[in-house]
Amino acid sequence: MKKKWGRLVVGGLLVAAPSAFLVFLLGSVGKPVEDPALAFAHLRSAPRVGAAYESWKEARRTQGGERRLALRLGWSKAYSSAFTRATGDAAIDLDAGTIRVEVHDLENPEAHEVWLVENAPGPGRSARPEPGDRTLRAGALAPRKGKGVLEAELGAALGGFRVDEVVVTRAGEEPTRSGLLFGSPSLFQRMQAWDRAGREPSGGAYGEGAGSYDLDRLVAKGADLFFRETFGGNGRTCGTCHPAGNNFTIDPKFIAGLPPNDPLFVAEFEPALSRNFEKPELMRRVGLILENVDGFDDLEHRFVMRGVPHTLAMRTSIAAPPPAPDAPTAPPSEQTGWSGDGAPGGGTLREFANGAIRQHFTKTLKREPGVDFRFATEEELDALEAFQLSLGRDADPEDVTAVRFRSRLVARGRDIFVADDAEGATGTAGKCDVCHANAGATVEFVAGGLNFNFDTGVENLPDHPADLAEPGSRPRDGGFGKDPNPAGGFGDGTFNTPPLIEAADTGPFFHNDAIQTLEEAVAFYNSAAFNESPAGKNLADPETGIAIRLDPTQVVAVASFLRVMNSLENIRQATEFAEGAKAAAHPRAARALLRLATEEAGDAGDVLDCAGLHPTAVRALRKAGELLRKASVTCWGWGRAARIRTALQALERAQADMVEGPSPFARSGPSKAD
């Protein structure tokens, strides 16, 4: 889904979701938005969110954690009244009515208190703690071995209390007026609480009856919010930087096709945002967005420039590792953003949205809630997380070594990718699988599908495109954490591991868009910047001191493997969208699904064609794309169905040209029939 869609002017639109209900989207005529029908086509993935929740719940049950609420606490770019590097953990036992909070790096912990907040629903309310919310003071922190610790029995006071936020404040301050550290339950934690309490979530707009939540409706609401809601700000939406038509990311080519009044360029036509909000030259030429990840107290100097990560397959890539005993800062609850700590507060994907609103949606640099923007409500945060969890794959391949590639070049690239030592069967160690198990975003050396941060030396590359485009405008990015880095910036120099399945059609690459092509990204691991980095030294051969050394032909082989994997995933999505269109009850839903299928078929061919791979498959994919496009404008249902059937056959031929036997991306979760 890349390169071809811009923004559309949409009025009222009726969309048929793949389940049995209709969703009405009532937009303002003349308002430039992403076509919302494209978002609703993703509802076929909503049942997989439910399956992911059931798996999560079962894991919690086997670990005995059904009645325990564990949250990380941290500085919130959305809510905190002052910047702090302190972090903490809160554990609440809902059966025993007890709470334990531990905070690190907080000066004078005895001068701080812990509060629980239950947000009050209603017009004008938000998920931020506000006057009128229900609050419960848990007690004061006490110094203990260099930490601030609270252990308290809340007893009956905790009964019937819905914990929407845990807040650490200065002594004597109300959490609804100010706070330093925040932590909020994830969507799945909240869903489990609804199950347990048998009551409606806040707002009562999720489903019919107490304790219900209709994931179709929740994902549908999240899609609408993601692409159409400006939150009272400068005109941007989540889809401004994560458009469905460009694989939920942006790049210079896509940016060049936008109209000059697109909200992405608000810093160019809104005087209040003309300085210290974006770097327009770096945005247009390199695709970089300004982020104040280390606080808003020095906008002129305290910022980083980062590319926009796609939001596909997040279910496979956000599980955080456990905190290391000697680490100065614990990882967030979930790994989001390039440094892994992109979400404010406790770091959940659910909390991410309000941090992004304050960062990117504001009308002025004062960033005053209720004036420059509004924060999302509890229900809106739930919906946004549900929608994002519905996108893309729900699983990594189980074992890429079992895939029978028809191309010897691709098979060779796979063997290099998974080889961990030079004495292995392949004779060349790519060692890629160590950090990208089965080409995903999780490590192979720890069980559980955990996503880690690494310092690979990308910040040390010379001649960064941004530095050449606008010298001196890109400060060093310190990565994860907020402590000063001796090399510059704030953080420990580590960055999040992204999935590689989607890499071929979501460039540029790395957190700073330093590399433009997939082959160059693979070749980076031959560079001095990588081999001299902490990650490179950890992988280095003890005799040579070199971590990875691939000849140019081997670089091409590894990139070819990743291109074919990307193409196979595109075919999976194109097939799913096309089958959904064939069964869709409403023509507009069918057209939306067919547009998505057309773009996926196009991407599947493009990532192969630009590297000269599988020309027979490329021809079949071009044929499938043309048939799907024609089907999308066919009025008669029987004619549309016939073209879809022929397109599906072409997709099957393309897949068969690349792999013998099943695709590594066979559906692994339920998909609702229309």
Side-chain angles (χ1 to χ4, degrees):
M1 325 177 270
K2 196 169 173 110
K3 301 179 286 292
K4 301 181 181 72
W5 302 335
R7 303 284 208 261
L8 303 177
V9 175
V10 179
L13 179 64
L14 174 65
V15 179
S19 55
F21 61 87
L22 297 179
V23 181
F24 288 86
L25 296 179
L26 301 176
S28 301
V29 175
K31 179 181 177 182
V33 296
E34 182 87 37
D35 183 351
L38 305 177
F40 280 85
H42 288 281
L43 275 173
R44 289 183 62 80
S45 296
R48 295 187 191 139
V49 181
Y53 168 60
E54 293 300 327
S55 297
W56 175 89
K57 191 165 59 171
E58 177 61 20
R60 295 261 297 170
R61 187 190 67 78
T62 58
Q63 297 166 7
E66 290 179 283
R67 298 290 291 171
R68 292 199 302 269
L69 182 62
L71 305 176
R72 296 274 167 83
L73 308 175
W75 170 75
S76 173
K77 184 161 64 172
Y79 305 151
S80 292
S81 55
F83 178 76
T84 177
R85 296 188 182 90
T87 60
D89 292 274
I92 303 172
D93 190 316
L94 299 170
D95 279 333
T98 61
I99 181 173
R100 188 181 195 281
V101 176
E102 186 174 292
V103 179
H104 306 260
D105 300 324
L106 186 65
E107 292 186 10
N108 302 319
E110 66 274 16
H112 295 80
E113 301 174 335
V114 178
W115 293 77
L116 308 183
V117 178
E118 178 178 337
N119 288 111
R125 311 294 299 181
S126 78
R128 183 192 194 190
E130 299 164 320
D133 289 342
R134 187 181 176 193
T135 61
L136 175 61
R137 183 182 181 275
L141 292 170
R144 187 183 301 175
K145 297 181 179 179
K147 309 172 205 175
V149 177
L150 165 68
E151 293 178 326
E153 294 187 7
L154 303 178
L158 194 56
F161 193 98
R162 186 187 68 244
V163 181
D164 290 324
E165 203 86 42
V166 176
V167 187
V168 175
T169 71
R170 294 187 179 93
E173 293 184 352
E174 291 280 338
T176 56
R177 298 188 181 278
S178 65
L180 294 178
L181 303 180
F182 292 79
S184 178
S186 69
L187 173 64
F188 286 175
Q189 287 176 313
R190 288 166 60 78
M191 288 171 65
Q192 188 173 55
W194 306 337
D195 282 341
R196 194 169 51 237
R199 58 183 285 190
E200 288 184 308
S202 59
Y206 292 80
E208 303 298 330
S212 66
Y213 44 86
D214 186 327
L215 278 173
D216 275 340
R217 293 180 63 177
L218 202 59
V219 170
K221 180 178 178 64
D224 191 26
L225 291 166
F226 194 92
F227 290 105
R228 295 167 62 81
E229 180 57 62
T230 63
F231 294 97
N234 57 36
R236 288 179 168 182
T237 68
C238 302
T240 298
C241 288
H242 299 280
N246 202 56
N247 288 321
F248 293 89
T249 183
I250 57 175
D251 56 76
K253 184 175 181 179
F254 177 83
I255 292 170
L258 297 175
N261 65 341
D262 190 275
L264 184 65
F265 308 130
V266 67
E268 298 179 14
F269 53 77
E270 176 51 63
L273 300 175
S274 61
R275 295 188 61 192
N276 302 327
F277 182 67
E278 295 287 5
K279 298 283 186 180
E281 184 75 2
L282 298 189
M283 177 193 290
R284 288 184 177 273
R285 295 180 63 176
V286 189
L288 296 177
I289 301 295
L290 190 149
E291 298 276 0
N292 300 105
V293 297
D294 300 307
F296 294 115
D297 55 331
D298 185 359
L299 297 179
E300 187 173 356
H301 303 103
R302 202 174 175 121
F303 65 92
V304 295
M305 302 300 302
R306 292 181 177 175
V308 176
H310 66 77
T311 56
L312 297 169
M314 295 191 76
R315 295 189 302 284
T316 72
S317 62
I318 61 174
D326 57 345
T329 303
S333 294
E334 295 173 331
Q335 299 273 71
T336 61
W338 281 118
S339 52
D341 58 355
T348 62
L349 177 61
R350 184 176 178 278
E351 293 170 280
F352 192 99
N354 272 340
I357 289 169
R358 187 164 205 163
Q359 173 75 63
H360 301 297
F361 288 43
T362 186
K363 293 176 181 176
T364 76
L365 296 184
K366 291 181 180 179
R367 291 187 163 90
E368 185 176 349
V371 177
D372 292 319
F373 57 86
R374 72 169 181 84
F375 283 123
T377 65
E378 295 285 356
E379 181 184 350
E380 288 172 332
L381 292 181
D382 290 337
L384 283 166
E385 181 178 357
F387 172 65
Q388 290 175 84
L389 290 176
S390 77
L391 300 175
R393 296 175 292 115
D394 60 346
D396 289 333
E398 289 187 6
D399 182 8
V400 295
T401 64
V403 182
R404 292 178 288 175
F405 294 104
R406 293 189 182 275
S407 165
R408 292 184 179 180
L409 174 66
V410 173
R412 175 61 175 152
R414 181 268 314 278
D415 292 344
I416 295 171
F417 185 94
V418 301
D420 292 348
D421 61 84
E423 302 303 320
T426 66
T428 296
K431 303 180 182 178
C432 316
D433 199 56
V434 174
C435 302
H436 295 278
N438 291 306
T442 62
V443 299
E444 56 88 24
F445 53 83
V446 177
L450 301 179
N451 182 278
F452 278 70
N453 275 24
F454 298 99
D455 182 352
T456 60
V458 175
E459 280 291 302
N460 296 328
L461 281 172
D463 298 324
H464 188 289
D467 298 336
L468 300 176
E470 192 173 326
S473 62
R474 184 186 68 92
R476 187 175 181 87
D477 192 334
F480 171 75
K482 294 173 174 56
D483 291 322
N485 190 307
F490 298 86
D492 63 6
T494 68
F495 293 89
N496 197 225
T497 305
L500 297 186
I501 301 298
E502 294 80 9
D505 59 8
T506 55
F509 300 93
F510 302 113
H511 68 276
N512 54 16
D513 283 3
I515 303 297
Q516 297 299 307
T517 71
L518 183 59
E519 285 72 16
E520 291 169 338
V522 175
F524 161 75
Y525 294 94
N526 281 330
S527 70
F530 174 71
N531 279 288
E532 294 172 5
S533 71
K537 291 178 179 178
N538 188 54
L539 292 175
D541 181 274
E543 295 184 3
T544 66
I546 296 174
I548 297 173
R549 177 181 288 165
L550 300 179
D551 288 330
T553 50
Q554 294 168 329
V555 168
V556 169
V558 172
S560 297
F561 159 64
L562 294 175
R563 286 182 179 279
V564 167
M565 293 293 285
N566 199 139
S567 184
L568 291 169
E569 165 59 9
N570 292 141
I571 290 172
R572 182 199 67 78
Q573 291 198 62
T575 299
E576 183 170 295
F577 291 139
E579 288 176 344
K582 187 170 64 174
H586 196 280
R588 288 199 176 183
R591 284 196 290 271
L593 286 159
L594 286 169
R595 289 182 65 183
L596 287 168
T598 301
E599 294 298 337
E600 289 294 344
D603 273 2
D606 288 346
V607 299
L608 300 174
D609 193 30
C610 67
L613 296 167
H614 289 287
T616 300
V618 171
R619 286 195 296 273
L621 290 165
R622 299 292 187 233
K623 179 67 174 177
E626 181 61 17
L627 286 164
L628 292 166
R629 185 194 65 78
K630 289 180 178 179
S632 70
V633 295
T634 300
C635 297
W636 299 103
W638 63 266
R640 181 169 62 243
R643 282 175 166 157
I644 292 173
R645 283 195 298 271
T646 308
L648 289 170
Q649 292 169 0
L651 292 171
E652 289 177 1
R653 291 197 303 273
Q655 177 176 300
D657 188 63
M658 288 185 274
V659 293
E660 180 183 352
S663 165
F665 300 112
R667 293 182 187 173
S668 55
S671 182
K672 181 170 290 187
D674 298 277

